[in-house]
Amino acid sequence: DIQMTQSPSTLSASVGDRVTITCRASQRISNALAWYQQKPGKAPKLLIYKASTLESGVTSRFSGSGSDTDFTLTISSLQPDDSATYYCQQYVSNSPYTFGQGTKLEIK
Amino acid sequence: QVQLQESGPGLVKPSQTLSLTCTVSGGSISSAVYYWSWIRQPAGKGLEWIGRFYTTGTMNYNPSLESRVTISADKSKNQFFLNLSSVTAADSAVYYCARDHGGYRDLWGQGTLVTVSS
């Protein structure tokens, strides 16, 4: 299986900050990577797919980049509503889909 | 708009079979565009993909669960199902159904908590 490793595991930042979360794949996955936001007691919400394509309806403060093994999710101008846990997920075909362990983002 | 809703018992005894239903409204599971997936999340932990169904009858399973998992569907009712056999406490989790768009999940149900306990 392809292992996905996110860093950091927890992150604390202030409103207005620019925040970056990284995700590393154990094998090359091209751009088959998605990012999700999950708030307590809620289902995950798709933010980005194909590494950098913003899902319809998602604020442009979220952006994704990277390819092959190294990926980043960036949140510009952090807002209180961005407090959540963020997951990356790879979806290379012929491989079980796997998620990162999550990054919990707290607003100071 | 398309919505997904999980349903099923919230409590299952060890060694028994966990059975869940996902009802899709506002869209068809017969669509050639999407797969339909099950994902689970133990309390306080991360997400685990269980498997998925496609309208042609193709099923894909996570190898770690494949020996115990069956995913099926009833197109006439626009529902798909999860059966997980020989459950243990480690199978206690929130179970989500989701629409799978080529590997990423663009729509999710609200989730249903299943506890395995005698």
Side-chain angles (χ1 to χ4, degrees), chain A residues 1 34 36 38 42-44 46 49 55 87 89 91 96-97 99 101, chain B residues 41 45-47 49 52 62-63 96 100 102-106 108-109:
Chain A
D1 295 2
Y36 302 88
Q38 186 179 34
K42 300 294 186 182
L46 178 67
Y49 60 95
E55 171 71 344
Y87 293 94
Q89 178 230 319
Y91 51 95
Y97 304 135
F99 294 85
Q101 81 278 15
Chain B
Q41 184 173 38
K45 296 187 178 181
L47 298 157
W49 176 71
R52 67 180 187 175
N62 190 326
Y96 295 100
D100 181 324
Y104 58 89
R105 277 108 216 147
D106 63 350
W108 296 64

CSV table of all heavy atoms in Angstrom, one decimal, chain A residues 1 34 36 38 42-44 46 49 55 87 89 91 96-97 99 101, chain B residues 41 45-47 49 52 62-63 96 100 102-106 108-109:
chain,number,residue,atom,x,y,z
A,1,ASP,N,0.8,-1.2,0.0
A,1,ASP,CA,0.0,0.0,0.0
A,1,ASP,C,0.9,1.3,0.0
A,1,ASP,O,2.0,1.2,0.5
A,1,ASP,CB,-0.9,0.0,1.2
A,1,ASP,CG,-1.9,-1.1,1.3
A,1,ASP,OD1,-1.9,-1.9,0.4
A,1,ASP,OD2,-2.7,-1.1,2.2
A,34,ALA,N,-6.0,14.2,-3.2
A,34,ALA,CA,-7.1,15.1,-2.8
A,34,ALA,C,-6.8,15.5,-1.3
A,34,ALA,O,-6.1,14.9,-0.6
A,34,ALA,CB,-8.4,14.3,-2.8
A,36,TYR,N,-9.0,17.0,2.1
A,36,TYR,CA,-10.3,17.1,2.8
A,36,TYR,C,-10.2,17.9,4.1
A,36,TYR,O,-9.2,17.9,4.7
A,36,TYR,CB,-10.9,15.8,3.1
A,36,TYR,CG,-11.1,14.8,1.9
A,36,TYR,CD1,-10.0,14.0,1.5
A,36,TYR,CD2,-12.3,14.8,1.2
A,36,TYR,CE1,-10.2,13.1,0.4
A,36,TYR,CE2,-12.4,13.9,0.1
A,36,TYR,CZ,-11.4,13.1,-0.2
A,36,TYR,OH,-11.5,12.2,-1.3
A,38,GLN,N,-12.2,18.3,7.8
A,38,GLN,CA,-13.2,17.6,8.6
A,38,GLN,C,-13.3,18.4,9.9
A,38,GLN,O,-12.3,18.6,10.6
A,38,GLN,CB,-12.9,16.2,8.9
A,38,GLN,CG,-14.0,15.4,9.7
A,38,GLN,CD,-13.7,14.0,9.9
A,38,GLN,OE1,-12.5,13.6,10.1
A,38,GLN,NE2,-14.7,13.1,9.9
A,42,LYS,N,-18.6,15.9,12.0
A,42,LYS,CA,-19.1,16.1,10.6
A,42,LYS,C,-18.3,15.2,9.7
A,42,LYS,O,-17.2,14.7,10.0
A,42,LYS,CB,-18.9,17.5,10.2
A,42,LYS,CG,-19.6,18.5,11.0
A,42,LYS,CD,-21.1,18.3,10.9
A,42,LYS,CE,-21.9,19.4,11.6
A,42,LYS,NZ,-23.4,19.2,11.5
A,43,ALA,N,-18.9,14.9,8.5
A,43,ALA,CA,-18.2,14.2,7.4
A,43,ALA,C,-17.1,15.1,6.8
A,43,ALA,O,-17.2,16.3,6.8
A,43,ALA,CB,-19.2,13.8,6.4
A,44,PRO,N,-16.1,14.4,6.3
A,44,PRO,CA,-15.1,15.2,5.5
A,44,PRO,C,-15.7,16.0,4.4
A,44,PRO,O,-16.7,15.5,3.8
A,44,PRO,CB,-14.1,14.1,5.0
A,44,PRO,CG,-14.3,13.0,6.0
A,44,PRO,CD,-15.7,13.0,6.4
A,46,LEU,N,-14.6,17.7,0.6
A,46,LEU,CA,-13.6,17.8,-0.4
A,46,LEU,C,-13.2,19.2,-0.6
A,46,LEU,O,-14.1,20.1,-0.9
A,46,LEU,CB,-14.1,17.2,-1.7
A,46,LEU,CG,-13.1,17.2,-2.9
A,46,LEU,CD1,-11.9,16.4,-2.6
A,46,LEU,CD2,-13.8,16.8,-4.2
A,49,TYR,N,-8.8,18.4,-5.5
A,49,TYR,CA,-8.5,17.1,-6.1
A,49,TYR,C,-7.5,17.4,-7.3
A,49,TYR,O,-7.2,18.5,-7.6
A,49,TYR,CB,-9.8,16.5,-6.6
A,49,TYR,CG,-10.6,17.3,-7.7
A,49,TYR,CD1,-10.4,17.1,-9.0
A,49,TYR,CD2,-11.5,18.2,-7.2
A,49,TYR,CE1,-11.1,17.8,-9.9
A,49,TYR,CE2,-12.2,19.0,-8.1
A,49,TYR,CZ,-12.0,18.8,-9.5
A,49,TYR,OH,-12.7,19.5,-10.4
A,55,GLU,N,-12.2,22.4,-5.6
A,55,GLU,CA,-13.6,21.9,-5.7
A,55,GLU,C,-14.5,23.1,-5.8
A,55,GLU,O,-14.3,24.1,-5.2
A,55,GLU,CB,-13.9,21.0,-4.5
A,55,GLU,CG,-15.4,20.6,-4.4
A,55,GLU,CD,-15.9,19.6,-5.5
A,55,GLU,OE1,-15.2,19.4,-6.5
A,55,GLU,OE2,-16.9,19.0,-5.3
A,87,TYR,N,-7.0,16.2,5.9
A,87,TYR,CA,-6.5,15.0,5.5
A,87,TYR,C,-6.1,15.0,4.0
A,87,TYR,O,-6.9,15.6,3.2
A,87,TYR,CB,-7.5,13.8,5.6
A,87,TYR,CG,-7.9,13.5,7.0
A,87,TYR,CD1,-9.0,14.1,7.7
A,87,TYR,CD2,-7.2,12.6,7.8
A,87,TYR,CE1,-9.3,13.8,9.0
A,87,TYR,CE2,-7.5,12.2,9.1
A,87,TYR,CZ,-8.6,12.9,9.7
A,87,TYR,OH,-8.9,12.5,11.0
A,89,GLN,N,-5.3,12.4,0.7
A,89,GLN,CA,-5.7,11.1,0.2
A,89,GLN,C,-5.2,10.8,-1.2
A,89,GLN,O,-5.4,11.7,-2.0
A,89,GLN,CB,-7.2,10.9,0.3
A,89,GLN,CG,-7.7,9.5,-0.2
A,89,GLN,CD,-8.7,9.5,-1.3
A,89,GLN,OE1,-9.7,10.3,-1.2
A,89,GLN,NE2,-8.6,8.7,-2.3
A,91,TYR,N,-5.1,8.5,-4.7
A,91,TYR,CA,-6.1,7.7,-5.4
A,91,TYR,C,-5.5,7.1,-6.7
A,91,TYR,O,-6.1,7.1,-7.7
A,91,TYR,CB,-7.4,8.4,-5.6
A,91,TYR,CG,-7.4,9.7,-6.3
A,91,TYR,CD1,-7.6,9.9,-7.6
A,91,TYR,CD2,-7.3,10.9,-5.5
A,91,TYR,CE1,-7.6,11.1,-8.2
A,91,TYR,CE2,-7.3,12.1,-6.1
A,91,TYR,CZ,-7.4,12.3,-7.4
A,91,TYR,OH,-7.4,13.5,-8.0
A,96,PRO,N,-5.0,0.3,-3.1
A,96,PRO,CA,-6.1,0.8,-2.2
A,96,PRO,C,-5.9,2.2,-1.8
A,96,PRO,O,-4.7,2.7,-1.6
A,96,PRO,CB,-5.8,-0.2,-1.0
A,96,PRO,CG,-4.5,-0.7,-1.1
A,96,PRO,CD,-4.2,-0.8,-2.6
A,97,TYR,N,-6.9,3.0,-1.8
A,97,TYR,CA,-6.9,4.4,-1.5
A,97,TYR,C,-6.5,4.5,-0.1
A,97,TYR,O,-7.0,3.9,0.8
A,97,TYR,CB,-8.2,5.1,-1.8
A,97,TYR,CG,-8.7,4.9,-3.2
A,97,TYR,CD1,-10.0,4.5,-3.4
A,97,TYR,CD2,-7.9,5.0,-4.3
A,97,TYR,CE1,-10.5,4.3,-4.7
A,97,TYR,CE2,-8.3,4.9,-5.6
A,97,TYR,CZ,-9.6,4.5,-5.8
A,97,TYR,OH,-10.1,4.4,-7.1
A,99,PHE,N,-5.3,7.4,3.2
A,99,PHE,CA,-5.3,8.8,3.7
A,99,PHE,C,-4.1,9.0,4.6
A,99,PHE,O,-3.5,8.1,5.1
A,99,PHE,CB,-6.5,8.9,4.6
A,99,PHE,CG,-7.9,8.9,3.9
A,99,PHE,CD1,-8.5,7.6,3.6
A,99,PHE,CD2,-8.5,10.0,3.4
A,99,PHE,CE1,-9.7,7.5,3.0
A,99,PHE,CE2,-9.7,9.9,2.8
A,99,PHE,CZ,-10.3,8.7,2.5
A,101,GLN,N,-2.6,10.8,8.1
A,101,GLN,CA,-3.1,10.6,9.4
A,101,GLN,C,-3.8,11.8,9.9
A,101,GLN,O,-4.4,11.8,11.0
A,101,GLN,CB,-1.9,10.3,10.4
A,101,GLN,CG,-1.1,11.5,10.8
A,101,GLN,CD,0.0,11.9,9.8
A,101,GLN,OE1,-0.1,11.5,8.7
A,101,GLN,NE2,0.9,12.7,10.3
B,41,GLN,N,-14.2,5.5,10.2
B,41,GLN,CA,-13.3,6.3,11.0
B,41,GLN,C,-13.5,5.9,12.5
B,41,GLN,O,-14.5,6.3,13.1
B,41,GLN,CB,-13.6,7.8,10.8
B,41,GLN,CG,-12.6,8.7,11.5
B,41,GLN,CD,-12.8,10.2,11.1
B,41,GLN,OE1,-14.0,10.6,10.9
B,41,GLN,NE2,-11.8,10.9,11.1
B,45,LYS,N,-9.6,8.8,15.4
B,45,LYS,CA,-8.6,8.3,14.5
B,45,LYS,C,-8.8,8.8,13.1
B,45,LYS,O,-9.8,9.5,12.8
B,45,LYS,CB,-8.5,6.8,14.6
B,45,LYS,CG,-8.0,6.3,15.9
B,45,LYS,CD,-7.8,4.8,15.9
B,45,LYS,CE,-7.3,4.3,17.3
B,45,LYS,NZ,-7.0,2.9,17.3
B,46,GLY,N,-8.0,8.3,12.2
B,46,GLY,CA,-8.1,8.7,10.8
B,46,GLY,C,-9.1,7.9,10.0
B,46,GLY,O,-9.8,7.1,10.5
B,47,LEU,N,-9.1,8.2,8.7
B,47,LEU,CA,-10.0,7.6,7.7
B,47,LEU,C,-9.4,6.4,7.1
B,47,LEU,O,-8.3,6.3,6.7
B,47,LEU,CB,-10.3,8.7,6.7
B,47,LEU,CG,-11.0,9.9,7.2
B,47,LEU,CD1,-10.8,11.1,6.3
B,47,LEU,CD2,-12.5,9.7,7.4
B,49,TRP,N,-10.4,3.7,3.9
B,49,TRP,CA,-11.3,3.3,2.8
B,49,TRP,C,-11.5,1.8,2.9
B,49,TRP,O,-10.6,1.0,3.0
B,49,TRP,CB,-10.6,3.6,1.5
B,49,TRP,CG,-11.3,3.2,0.2
B,49,TRP,CD1,-12.5,3.7,-0.3
B,49,TRP,CD2,-10.9,2.1,-0.7
B,49,TRP,NE1,-12.8,3.0,-1.4
B,49,TRP,CE2,-11.9,2.0,-1.7
B,49,TRP,CE3,-9.8,1.2,-0.7
B,49,TRP,CZ2,-11.8,1.1,-2.7
B,49,TRP,CZ3,-9.8,0.3,-1.7
B,49,TRP,CH2,-10.8,0.3,-2.7
B,52,ARG,N,-15.6,-0.1,-2.8
B,52,ARG,CA,-16.5,0.7,-3.6
B,52,ARG,C,-17.2,-0.2,-4.6
B,52,ARG,O,-16.7,-1.3,-5.0
B,52,ARG,CB,-15.7,1.8,-4.3
B,52,ARG,CG,-14.7,1.4,-5.4
B,52,ARG,CD,-14.0,2.5,-6.0
B,52,ARG,NE,-13.2,2.1,-7.1
B,52,ARG,CZ,-12.5,2.9,-7.9
B,52,ARG,NH1,-12.6,4.3,-7.7
B,52,ARG,NH2,-11.8,2.5,-8.9
B,62,ASN,N,-10.5,-2.8,0.0
B,62,ASN,CA,-9.2,-2.7,0.6
B,62,ASN,C,-8.7,-4.1,1.0
B,62,ASN,O,-9.4,-4.8,1.7
B,62,ASN,CB,-9.4,-1.8,1.9
B,62,ASN,CG,-8.1,-1.4,2.5
B,62,ASN,OD1,-7.1,-2.2,2.5
B,62,ASN,ND2,-8.1,-0.2,3.1
B,63,PRO,N,-7.5,-4.4,0.5
B,63,PRO,CA,-7.0,-5.8,0.8
B,63,PRO,C,-7.0,-6.1,2.3
B,63,PRO,O,-7.2,-7.3,2.7
B,63,PRO,CB,-5.6,-5.7,0.3
B,63,PRO,CG,-5.7,-4.7,-0.8
B,63,PRO,CD,-6.6,-3.7,-0.3
B,96,TYR,N,-19.0,5.9,6.8
B,96,TYR,CA,-19.5,6.9,5.9
B,96,TYR,C,-19.7,6.2,4.5
B,96,TYR,O,-18.9,5.3,4.1
B,96,TYR,CB,-18.5,8.0,5.7
B,96,TYR,CG,-18.3,8.9,6.8
B,96,TYR,CD1,-17.1,8.7,7.6
B,96,TYR,CD2,-19.1,9.9,7.1
B,96,TYR,CE1,-16.8,9.6,8.7
B,96,TYR,CE2,-18.8,10.8,8.2
B,96,TYR,CZ,-17.7,10.6,9.0
B,96,TYR,OH,-17.4,11.4,10.0
B,100,ASP,N,-17.8,8.5,-5.2
B,100,ASP,CA,-16.4,8.4,-5.6
B,100,ASP,C,-16.3,8.9,-7.0
B,100,ASP,O,-16.8,8.2,-8.0
B,100,ASP,CB,-16.0,7.0,-5.4
B,100,ASP,CG,-14.6,6.7,-5.7
B,100,ASP,OD1,-14.0,7.3,-6.7
B,100,ASP,OD2,-14.0,5.8,-5.1
B,102,GLY,N,-13.7,9.0,-9.5
B,102,GLY,CA,-12.4,8.7,-10.0
B,102,GLY,C,-11.4,8.5,-9.0
B,102,GLY,O,-10.2,8.6,-9.2
B,103,GLY,N,-11.8,8.2,-7.7
B,103,GLY,CA,-10.9,8.0,-6.6
B,103,GLY,C,-11.0,9.0,-5.5
B,103,GLY,O,-10.6,8.7,-4.4
B,104,TYR,N,-11.4,10.2,-5.8
B,104,TYR,CA,-11.6,11.1,-4.7
B,104,TYR,C,-13.2,11.2,-4.4
B,104,TYR,O,-14.0,10.9,-5.3
B,104,TYR,CB,-11.1,12.5,-5.0
B,104,TYR,CG,-11.6,13.2,-6.2
B,104,TYR,CD1,-12.7,14.0,-6.1
B,104,TYR,CD2,-10.9,13.1,-7.4
B,104,TYR,CE1,-13.2,14.6,-7.3
B,104,TYR,CE2,-11.4,13.7,-8.6
B,104,TYR,CZ,-12.5,14.5,-8.5
B,104,TYR,OH,-13.0,15.1,-9.6
B,105,ARG,N,-13.5,11.5,-3.2
B,105,ARG,CA,-14.9,11.5,-2.7
B,105,ARG,C,-15.4,12.9,-2.7
B,105,ARG,O,-15.0,13.7,-1.8
B,105,ARG,CB,-15.0,10.9,-1.3
B,105,ARG,CG,-15.1,9.4,-1.4
B,105,ARG,CD,-13.9,8.7,-1.0
B,105,ARG,NE,-13.6,7.5,-1.8
B,105,ARG,CZ,-12.4,7.1,-2.1
B,105,ARG,NH1,-11.3,7.7,-1.6
B,105,ARG,NH2,-12.3,6.0,-2.8
B,106,ASP,N,-16.4,13.3,-3.6
B,106,ASP,CA,-16.8,14.6,-3.6
B,106,ASP,C,-18.1,14.9,-2.9
B,106,ASP,O,-18.5,16.0,-2.6
B,106,ASP,CB,-17.0,15.1,-5.1
B,106,ASP,CG,-18.0,14.3,-5.9
B,106,ASP,OD1,-18.5,13.2,-5.4
B,106,ASP,OD2,-18.3,14.7,-7.0
B,108,TRP,N,-20.4,13.2,0.6
B,108,TRP,CA,-20.4,12.2,1.7
B,108,TRP,C,-21.7,12.2,2.4
B,108,TRP,O,-22.4,13.2,2.5
B,108,TRP,CB,-19.3,12.6,2.8
B,108,TRP,CG,-17.9,12.6,2.3
B,108,TRP,CD1,-17.3,13.3,1.3
B,108,TRP,CD2,-16.8,11.7,2.8
B,108,TRP,NE1,-16.0,13.0,1.1
B,108,TRP,CE2,-15.7,12.0,2.0
B,108,TRP,CE3,-16.8,10.7,3.8
B,108,TRP,CZ2,-14.4,11.4,2.3
B,108,TRP,CZ3,-15.5,10.1,4.0
B,108,TRP,CH2,-14.4,10.5,3.2
B,109,GLY,N,-22.1,11.0,3.0
B,109,GLY,CA,-23.2,11.0,3.9
B,109,GLY,C,-22.7,11.6,5.2
B,109,GLY,O,-21.6,11.9,5.4
